[in-house]
Amino acid sequence: MGHPAASAPDSQEILRSAMVVGAQRLSALGLNRGSSGNIGVRLAQSFLVTPSGIPAEELMPQMMVEMDFSGTVLGSGKPSSEWRFHRDILAARADIGAVVHTHSRYATSLACLQRDIPAFHYMIAAAGGDTIRCTPYALFGTQELSDLALQALSGRKACLLGNHGMIALGADLKAALALTLEVESLAQHYWTALQLGEPNILSKQQMQTVMEKFETYGQGKG
Ligand SMILES: [Zn+2]
């Protein structure tokens, strides 16, 4: 396809459709139910976020809500109540083009323990470090929650939100969705391993080696 810039006239339509497909895929995979969870995608000078309170199956591309970075809705629609962390992450992280938030079962279960996911498996490095941090609890939709999320995402591409869910980031929506699936899978493996005992945790050096290999060969190959 090769559109040169995100501001090309039809690229926003492609992104809107991709957001609908992504939200419906998360729902079909059981990572979100009903209207929980949301997606944000960067545009040239603004961003798109999924609307408030509409189940994934009923989403349509024109329902995606465009907002500027002051938090003003451009056009029409009611944005997800979590628009603040989408805005703040996209504003703070030039490396990030898309934000996915879910209440998926295993990530949320660990988030309810307010437990970081340690380096129990080498793929933790896919989230950018040797842990996936969990924030303390803060009320949904608040600036406090957004601030805590940004802290937990420092140097990372995913975090758990205490007593709430998870956030995964990517350079684009495809990457953010892939990391969402990876984090939920890791949370499931960690949860399962904890049933049998305390998992062995890889050392900082072992994880450093994994991260170097990811940088050289691309993430997730093997
Ligand atoms: Zn939520």
Side-chain angles (χ1 to χ4, degrees):
M1 307 286 283
H3 293 288
S7 55
D10 59 341
S11 66
Q12 186 179 139
E13 296 315 307
I14 293 169
L15 284 175
R16 285 171 177 264
S17 297
M19 289 169 75
V20 172
V21 171
Q24 292 177 343
R25 183 159 167 246
L26 291 174
S27 182
L29 290 169
L31 270 69
N32 269 328
R33 290 173 189 79
S35 58
S36 74
N38 33 73
I39 295 175
V41 174
R42 181 193 299 283
L43 299 175
Q45 303 292 333
S46 58
F47 64 98
L48 293 169
V49 66
T50 44
S52 177
I54 299 178
E57 313 77 63
E58 296 173 23
L59 288 176
M60 292 191 284
Q62 63 269 30
M63 293 175 181
M64 302 302 116
V65 181
E66 185 178 2
M67 302 184 79
D68 69 18
F69 284 94
S70 75
T72 303
V73 172
L74 306 174
S76 61
K78 186 179 175 209
S80 162
S81 59
E82 300 291 17
W83 64 267
R84 278 185 184 79
F85 66 63
H86 291 277
R87 174 195 64 180
D88 293 346
I89 291 165
L90 292 170
R93 296 282 297 265
D95 58 322
I96 298 304
V99 178
V100 175
H101 167 57
T102 74
H103 297 179
S104 53
R105 178 179 300 167
Y106 289 95
T108 303
S109 298
L110 292 173
C112 292
L113 303 178
Q114 291 198 1
R115 192 162 179 156
D116 294 354
I117 309 181
F120 78 103
H121 188 289
Y122 79 91
M123 280 299 290
I124 287 289
D130 57 6
T131 57
I132 296 174
R133 302 184 190 105
C134 183
T135 71
Y137 173 75
L139 182 65
F140 74 94
T142 60
Q143 189 62 47
E144 183 189 9
L145 178 62
S146 180
D147 293 345
L148 289 169
L150 263 184
Q151 270 177 38
L153 287 165
S154 175
R156 301 282 194 279
K157 289 184 174 173
C159 73
L160 305 180
L161 301 175
N163 307 85
H164 183 157
M166 67 127 127
I167 295 174
L169 314 179
D172 56 23
L173 182 55
K174 189 178 170 193
L177 286 167
L179 185 58
T180 301
L181 301 189
E182 186 61 47
V183 171
E184 176 63 4
S185 173
L186 285 164
Q188 181 172 7
H189 291 148
Y190 186 47
W191 185 273
T192 306
L194 284 171
Q195 309 309 305
L196 299 175
E198 274 302 315
N200 177 60
I201 304 301
L202 300 174
S203 70
K204 284 209 176 292
Q205 181 55 51
Q206 285 171 321
M207 287 301 287
Q208 189 58 41
T209 309
V210 176
M211 284 185 273
E212 284 163 13
K213 193 158 179 169
F214 276 5
E215 279 167 22
T216 313
Y217 296 103
Q219 294 194 358
K221 304 292 190 293

